[in-house]
Amino acid sequence: MIAHVQTGEERDHAQGALDNALKTNDAHAVFVACMQLMQPCPARDESVTR
């Protein structure tokens, strides 16, 4: 499960993680950071059941 950013502080943290992942060529971390930064979150618009 990927948590999308909710605040500016979380966005800054995810952006920093993305920048670091790009510098270190960590493809998995790039994917996760991009998913976190992607807006809008599709789960916000749909009812989600567990």
Side-chain angles (χ1 to χ4, degrees):
M1 180 177 247
I2 297 173
H4 294 277
V5 296
Q6 302 294 315
T7 66
E9 184 179 328
E10 289 177 354
R11 175 172 287 288
D12 292 343
H13 181 74
Q15 184 63 54
L18 175 59
D19 293 341
N20 185 57
L22 290 168
K23 287 178 187 173
T24 59
N25 294 319
D26 185 343
H28 293 102
V30 168
F31 174 75
V32 171
C34 286
M35 293 299 295
Q36 288 178 318
L37 291 168
M38 191 171 69
Q39 295 292 330
C41 174
R44 292 183 188 167
D45 298 331
E46 301 174 10
S47 60
V48 178
T49 58
R50 293 180 186 200

